[in-house]
Amino acid sequence: LGARKDYARTAIIPQNVPFTLLGAGLLWFGWFGFNGGSALAANASAALAFSNTMFAPMGTLVVWSLLDITRTKKTTAVGAATAIVVGLVAVTPAAGFVSPVSGIVLGAIAAVPSYFAILWRAGTRLDDSLDVIAAHGVGGTVGALLTGVLAQKIWNGTADGALFGNPKQLGIQLAAVLGSQDLEAERASLARALHEAEGATELRASIHLALAWHHIGDIRESRRHAHIALTLAERIGDRRLLAKTVSHA
């Protein structure tokens, strides 16, 4: 889509901070169902995931606030909302596999790379208004990797992590992260190709419309629409339409 037209030209500040906090609270509330419901049952795994969904963002929020205070001598409501989202994203892959204490630790650790990723993004021309890369990309990656470190079999009944004698699990998590990133890259490439195809279809429709105006408009407008059709045909590289528009231009 490209950057917003006023991005990097004027200050774009949050328009409604109370609504931002309301949205963060509703998101957190919904995330209990998202993580807890992943167990597809009312059992110990669901209870663990529910608990970690509560505790991990608390750890993130504390560390985020400390980083803000250290850097700017104050905290912000929007920063707090961002921290909550980072904590929720980070704990999602680990929610049913780590202890509540480990969930707090995971959320606290995830705050650091995401916080500095946002600071880095702010110094670039990347228009990521929701900080999806820093919050979801970085936070989710850190959470997935830390699952391989902090997982405990006595809590999840499946496997321990590297911190509890099973370093192989960290390798498994790393392979999963890299595999998901490759899959996401392929999906983005496919989406871009489909978007370009849809765009080409729309351009073809515009060409035919311009040629239609060429036939029914007056002489001056006819020439203008013929040249519009020619420009559009050149843009999408359609030889058949290009030949057709050249004959009318």
Side-chain angles (χ1 to χ4, degrees), residues 103-210:
I104 295 173
V105 172
L106 185 149
I109 294 174
V112 178
S114 289
Y115 185 90
F116 287 103
I118 288 178
L119 293 181
W120 170 82
R121 194 275 308 162
T124 70
R125 295 189 60 82
L126 177 63
D127 184 12
D128 185 4
S129 61
L130 300 179
D131 283 309
V132 174
I133 293 175
H136 290 263
V138 176
T141 298
V142 170
L145 292 176
L146 287 178
T147 302
V149 176
L150 299 172
Q152 286 181 264
K153 192 172 183 178
I154 60 172
W155 286 93
N156 60 56
T158 303
D160 284 320
L163 191 61
F164 300 95
N166 183 23
K168 184 184 298 185
Q169 189 61 41
L170 179 58
I172 294 173
Q173 296 299 120
L174 177 60
V177 167
L178 295 177
S180 64
Q181 289 178 350
D182 288 342
L183 182 61
E184 185 63 27
E186 291 179 4
R187 186 172 67 174
S189 178
L190 177 60
R192 185 164 55 251
L194 289 174
H195 176 72
E196 291 173 354
E198 290 172 357
T201 300
E202 292 172 358
L203 285 174
R204 287 186 175 87
S206 299
I207 292 170
H208 287 296
L209 181 61

Side-chain angles (χ1 to χ4, degrees), residues 45-70:
S45 180
L48 178 62
F50 190 98
S51 299
N52 281 324
T53 302
M54 183 70 214
F55 293 135
M58 294 167 60
T60 309
L61 183 55
V62 169
V63 173
W64 199 282
S65 298
L66 291 174
L67 289 171
D68 261 347
I69 291 172
T70 301

